[in-house]
């Protein structure tokens, strides 16, 4: 990266940028991203910075309104839309600093078990009559949720970031790079080495962890709308401030929310990374300093 400057990968959660139950109005997204830019600006002043972001609420609602559109195309659509918005907010907050957005592809295995047993919920809750219609018309898989059901899709493990080398080059040139929107666009390689999009979504935090590890980042920040990782949630709500990797591995976390964040932090630290933090977007600087949220170290 840039000589003498440590590299931070900051992963912005989709729910931190958007209401979880509907697409954001333009002014809501602009306001949320202004807050994100303010939180990241102090880090960018003294670090090389890569910003990744979620797209769960957005891609889910697009899939509901465009049910015949493949998920890789919808992922690319939301990655471009949200990436542009993040890029714009950072450019306006950090004038004089180059910010670049990259639509990013992520290789997954064609035989990943996630394709056989889809588990990732996307989109709104449908009533059971609508579920029956969508299941018949589009062969969707559903899981019960809040009195109705939500579509569940494959969420395969990220294996390789196609544009990792180019992202690293841009960082070494001093640019802030916005990439890996929604975990990246899922693609598989065929026997000739050609890439093909697949019907899936990739977990943004696991992809961010892989990118941070690939580029030798000094820190991975997983920024969301909660203060950190809680033990025994829900119930006895104890914030885990400085847990060991072994402690986190011994615990069970919610599969659809905190579990992938914890797994991403653990993978990064075990892969040689210095610090992984999980916490609120507003606490980004304190999280990097180890004074807020949940911090995992080597």
């Amino acid at each position: 990266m840039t000589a003498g400057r440590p590299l931070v990968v900051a992963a912005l959660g989709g729910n931190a940028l958007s209401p979880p139950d509907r697409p954001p109005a333009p002014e809501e997204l602009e306001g949320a991203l202004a807050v994100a830019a303010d939180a990241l600006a102090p880090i960018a002043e003294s670090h090389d910075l890569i910003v990744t972001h979620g797209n769960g609420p957005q891609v889910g609602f697009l899939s509901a309104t465009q049910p015949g559109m493949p998920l890789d195309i919808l992922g690319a659509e939301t990655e471009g839309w949200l990436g542009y918005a993040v890029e714009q907010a950072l450019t306006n907050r950090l004038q004089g600093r180059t910010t670049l957005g990259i639509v990013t592809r992520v290789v997954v295995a064609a035989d990943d078990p996630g394709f056989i047993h889809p588990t990732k919920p996307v989109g709104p809750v449908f009533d059971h009559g609508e579920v029956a219609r969508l299941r018949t018309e589009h062969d969707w898989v559903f899981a019960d949720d809040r009195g109705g059901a939500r579509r569940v899709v494959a969420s395969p493990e990220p294996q390789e970031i196609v544009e990792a080398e180019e992202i690293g080059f841009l960082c070494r040139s001093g640019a802030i790079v916005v990439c890996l929107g929604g975990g990246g666009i899922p693609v598989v390689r065929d026997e000739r080495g050609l890439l093909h999009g697949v019907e899936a979504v990739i977990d943004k935090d696991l992809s961010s962890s892989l990118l941070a590890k690939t580029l030798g980042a000094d820190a991975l920040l997983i920024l969301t709308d909660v203060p950190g990782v809680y033990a025994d949630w829900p119930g006895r709500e104890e914030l885990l401030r400085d847990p060991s990797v072994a402690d986190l591995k011994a615990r069970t976390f919610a599969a659809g929310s905190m579990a992938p964040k914890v797994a991403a932090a653990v993978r990064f630290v075990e892969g040689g990374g210095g610090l992984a933090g999980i916490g609120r977007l507003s606490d980004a600087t304190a999280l990097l300093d180890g004074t807020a949220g949940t911090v995992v170290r080597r």
Side-chain angles (χ1 to χ4, degrees):
M1 302 304 109
T2 307
R5 289 166 63 96
L7 171 63
V8 173
V9 175
L12 303 178
N15 286 337
L17 303 178
S18 170
D21 56 348
R22 58 179 173 82
E27 61 273 12
E28 287 179 310
L29 181 60
E30 183 177 355
L33 287 172
V35 171
D38 285 341
L40 294 174
I43 296 174
E45 289 174 0
S46 54
H47 297 75
D48 287 329
L49 180 62
I50 294 171
V51 181
T52 69
H53 60 87
N55 70 347
Q58 295 83 7
V59 79
F61 279 95
L62 280 180
S63 74
T65 57
Q66 305 175 51
M69 190 68 71
L71 282 173
D72 60 312
I73 300 299
L74 295 179
E77 183 177 345
T78 54
E79 186 174 6
W81 162 35
L82 291 171
Y84 151 72
V86 174
E87 183 182 10
Q88 188 92 318
L90 290 171
T91 296
N92 289 339
R93 178 61 177 79
L94 296 161
Q95 295 185 28
R97 186 83 179 269
T98 299
T99 305
L100 297 170
I102 297 180
V103 175
T104 318
R105 295 163 294 174
V106 177
V107 177
V108 301
D111 59 353
D112 189 290
F115 289 111
I116 300 173
H117 302 290
T119 58
K120 178 71 173 177
V122 297
V125 176
F126 294 99
D127 63 43
H128 290 293
E130 193 73 357
V131 166
R133 181 184 67 81
L134 290 168
R135 184 180 283 125
T136 300
E137 291 181 3
H138 302 288
D139 199 27
W140 285 2
V141 179
F142 287 88
D144 291 340
D145 193 327
R146 289 170 283 173
R150 293 178 72 192
R151 183 188 181 190
V152 290
V153 302
S155 185
E157 285 277 330
Q159 304 286 324
E160 174 195 344
I161 314 296
V162 175
E163 288 81 13
E165 183 176 347
E166 289 75 18
I167 292 168
F169 172 80
L170 292 169
C171 276
R172 288 191 296 272
S173 302
I176 298 171
V177 181
V178 181
C179 59
L180 274 184
I185 302 165
V187 297
V188 296
R189 274 200 177 90
D190 65 19
E191 62 279 1
R192 296 177 295 165
L194 303 181
L195 297 174
H196 305 273
V198 290
E199 187 77 351
V201 297
I202 306 174
D203 184 83
K204 169 263 305 176
D205 298 311
L206 296 180
S207 287
S208 300
S209 178
L210 176 60
L211 178 65
K213 178 182 174 182
T214 301
L215 296 181
D218 298 276
L220 169 66
L221 303 182
I222 299 173
L223 304 171
T224 182
D225 55 354
V226 296
V229 181
Y230 285 87
D232 305 317
W233 177 275
R236 184 172 62 86
E237 299 171 11
E238 174 195 353
L239 179 64
L240 299 175
R241 281 283 299 114
D242 211 0
S244 67
V245 166
D247 182 20
L248 291 174
K249 283 185 166 183
R251 297 178 183 271
T252 300
F253 300 97
S257 56
M258 194 53 71
K261 291 176 171 51
V262 170
V266 166
R267 291 181 189 184
F268 174 66
V269 172
E270 286 190 321
L275 176 150
I278 303 172
R280 282 186 296 224
L281 173 60
S282 58
D283 292 334
T285 302
L287 195 61
L288 183 59
D289 292 338
T291 59
T294 297
V295 176
V296 189
R297 312 171 195 266
R298 267 189 291 175

